[in-house]
Amino acid sequence: MKIETPRWVLPLLQPARFKGAYGGRASGKSHAFAENLVEAMVMDADLRAVCIREVQKSLKFSVKQLIEDKIKTLGVGHMFDIQRDEIKRIGGEGVCIFQGMQDHTAESIKSLEGFRIAWVEEAQSLSDKSLRLLRPTMRSPGAELWFTWNPDQPDDAVDAFLRKNPPAGAIVLPVNYTDNPFFPADELREEIDHDRRDPETFAHVWLGEYNVKSEAQVFSGRYQVDEFTPGPNWDGPYFGADWGFAVDPTVLVKCWITPDGRVAIEKESGKVGLDIDKTGDLWAKEIPEARSQTIRSDSARPETISYLQRHGWPRVTGVDKWKGSVEDGVDWLRAKGLLIHPQCERAAREARLYRYKTNKGGDVIAQIEDANNHVMDAVRYALSPLIQAKGRVGRMEVRY
């Protein structure tokens, strides 16, 4: 078995109770740990491993597919039995399972006592309670706990444990896209160049620096990223579109209003530099159910709306705007709160980075930056019939 190993991974090949890698996007952290896990299971046919996230409601958002891909790439598929919920080692008792820590109690976590490797992916989301449950459970001789994460807050449990005061012997490494010899530059160059215009965004997304919350964040404390399945009593769906330009994405969203009144963003389709004649094809591939529904969009591009109406998307329509419509819409979304499905990565990113402007003294002012807002604009357009009614009444009340 031949594994092409980035230089930064070499310290992790040594035995250690705690191993971790943290940093920004496209660093190759997950790929390296997946390869290490496959190698460990090849070398020990009886090794039992568990891959953990804080919330694991479906395998779709686990690292199972990545591990399956590595098994295939490394040419060891004949040594594994890949099942729906787990991966078994042929010729031994070894197994790799996938679990969420929120499903465990102090009693149920004991089921992992015989496991030798626990890999926590997206470890920035791991709660302090989950970390305290997991650590003493991994007690087999030579057991290791692996952590990979994109830092979010300095007081997140994994950062407090592995970066502020790491245990003796822990191997914890920073790694970014600049350390990845397999970095897909062609695919991500436009995104990187776009984010460089905002130093804070670039530092957090690509260099793994903390996303320090501030009063300038529009949706601070008002959004949640979690899996969900729309129910029969949900209002919707609503579809909205925002048109892109040279460096901005064209975005289509599908969203709902939950029974408790939140705005739930279920699906998104977005691409930078999307030609008008390719837009319908992308939408049909990623959100095909939108074709038969009303899609409310930015009315500033009538030529785009007309083109799509004449090419298979007859229910695309522009929305009415008014002075202060952006602020009205954002206030309405803040009051409702957002529930974002994990598959909507762009929506989750914008919810974190969408900001109010600040003056030179650092004071937050009542104006919204025109950046990191393409999904949010599409959501505003999708729900414009609801937002307009509230906005117009609100202005009339102030005016009169």
Side-chain angles (χ1 to χ4, degrees):
M1 186 169 59
K2 181 180 179 181
I3 303 177
E4 296 183 349
T5 305
R7 188 175 301 277
W8 69 264
V9 177
L10 296 181
L12 296 171
L13 302 182
Q14 305 301 315
R17 168 72 172 167
F18 299 101
K19 297 179 180 179
Y22 63 91
R25 280 190 65 192
S27 60
K29 300 183 294 294
S30 298
H31 286 267
F33 275 74
E35 290 172 348
N36 288 355
L37 180 56
V38 172
E39 181 182 19
M41 294 188 70
V42 167
M43 295 176 65
D44 183 352
D46 295 320
L47 185 144
R48 286 186 284 175
V50 56
C51 298
I52 290 172
R53 293 169 72 101
E54 177 69 7
V55 178
Q56 183 72 70
K57 293 183 179 178
S58 73
L59 289 177
K60 181 178 180 181
F61 301 101
S62 72
V63 291
K64 183 172 183 289
Q65 186 61 58
L66 177 60
I67 294 172
E68 291 180 18
D69 292 342
K70 295 301 180 183
I71 288 172
K72 181 179 179 181
T73 300
L74 296 174
V76 292
H78 61 287
M79 304 177 73
F80 293 89
D81 177 15
I82 298 175
Q83 301 183 354
R84 185 176 68 87
D85 297 326
E86 59 188 20
I87 300 174
K88 291 187 174 182
R89 175 69 158 85
I90 296 173
E93 299 297 322
V95 65
C96 180
I97 64 174
F98 306 85
Q99 297 191 353
M101 282 303 298
Q102 283 195 3
D103 298 326
H104 277 296
T105 64
E107 188 63 30
S108 68
I109 194 70
K110 293 180 181 178
S111 64
L112 301 179
E113 286 181 357
F115 283 66
R116 289 252 313 281
I117 292 176
W119 173 18
V120 184
E121 172 69 333
E122 300 288 347
Q124 74 275 4
S125 300
L126 193 70
S127 68
D128 182 66
K129 175 184 176 183
S130 295
L131 183 57
R132 285 187 283 109
L133 278 175
L134 180 62
R135 286 171 52 198
T137 301
M138 303 297 295
R139 62 183 66 175
S140 297
E144 297 187 353
L145 289 91
W146 300 354
F147 301 84
T148 51
W149 75 101
N150 292 29
D152 188 45
Q153 301 301 308
D155 58 353
D156 285 338
V158 68
D159 284 82
F161 178 60
L162 289 179
R163 294 181 65 182
K164 291 183 178 179
N165 187 26
I171 302 174
V172 185
L173 307 173
V175 56
N176 291 306
Y177 76 95
T178 52
D179 304 302
N180 183 3
F182 313 113
F183 175 69
D186 291 340
E187 291 83 354
L188 295 177
R189 183 180 294 111
E190 286 184 344
E191 288 191 45
I192 290 177
D193 290 343
H194 179 274
D195 287 343
R196 284 186 192 277
R197 297 182 299 175
D198 182 342
E200 291 183 11
T201 297
F202 181 77
H204 173 62
V205 173
W206 298 101
L207 301 182
E209 296 186 11
Y210 290 124
N211 175 33
V212 180
K213 288 184 171 64
S214 73
E215 294 179 357
Q217 288 181 291
V218 172
F219 291 105
S220 177
R222 298 176 183 269
Y223 76 97
Q224 176 185 2
V225 180
D226 200 357
E227 296 177 45
F228 63 82
T229 301
N233 58 339
W234 290 37
D235 179 31
Y238 295 89
F239 297 87
D242 186 46
W243 311 119
F245 297 91
V247 295
D248 295 330
T250 290
V251 172
L252 174 68
V253 298
K254 177 183 181 181
C255 52
W256 305 76
I257 302 296
T258 68
D260 62 1
R262 289 185 293 174
V263 174
I265 306 173
E266 182 191 6
K267 293 184 179 181
E268 65 178 26
S269 172
K271 185 176 181 180
V272 174
L274 182 63
D275 293 331
I276 187 173
D277 60 335
K278 302 296 184 183
T279 299
D281 292 339
L282 182 66
W283 288 1
K285 177 182 178 181
E286 298 186 342
I287 313 182
E289 63 271 29
R291 186 188 289 272
S292 62
Q293 304 294 322
T294 298
I295 301 174
R296 297 182 175 89
S297 70
D298 186 353
S299 57
R301 299 282 292 276
E303 72 286 356
T304 299
I305 295 172
S306 176
Y307 181 90
L308 287 168
Q309 288 174 340
R310 290 182 284 107
H311 291 82
W313 297 83
R315 301 186 67 181
V316 178
T317 183
V319 302
D320 293 333
K321 296 183 179 182
W322 62 89
K323 185 177 181 180
S325 60
V326 174
E327 290 76 10
D328 283 349
V330 169
D331 287 346
W332 190 87
L333 292 175
R334 278 171 45 85
K336 292 290 185 181
L338 303 178
L339 175 61
I340 303 172
H341 199 285
Q343 66 190 356
C344 299
E345 296 180 357
R346 193 184 298 272
R349 178 172 174 270
E350 287 189 8
R352 185 177 69 246
L353 299 175
Y354 199 22
R355 300 171 65 88
Y356 292 107
K357 292 181 179 180
T358 56
N359 60 25
K360 292 183 179 180
D363 301 319
V364 178
I365 59 178
Q367 297 180 26
I368 300 174
E369 291 184 355
D370 186 18
N372 299 304
N373 56 356
H374 305 291
V375 172
M376 296 306 154
D377 284 349
V379 171
R380 284 195 301 106
Y381 301 142
L383 300 169
S384 58
L386 308 178
I387 297 171
Q388 281 185 0
K390 179 180 183 298
R392 287 169 178 165
V393 170
R395 283 196 304 284
M396 289 176 66
E397 290 174 351
V398 172
R399 189 174 298 169
Y400 297 102

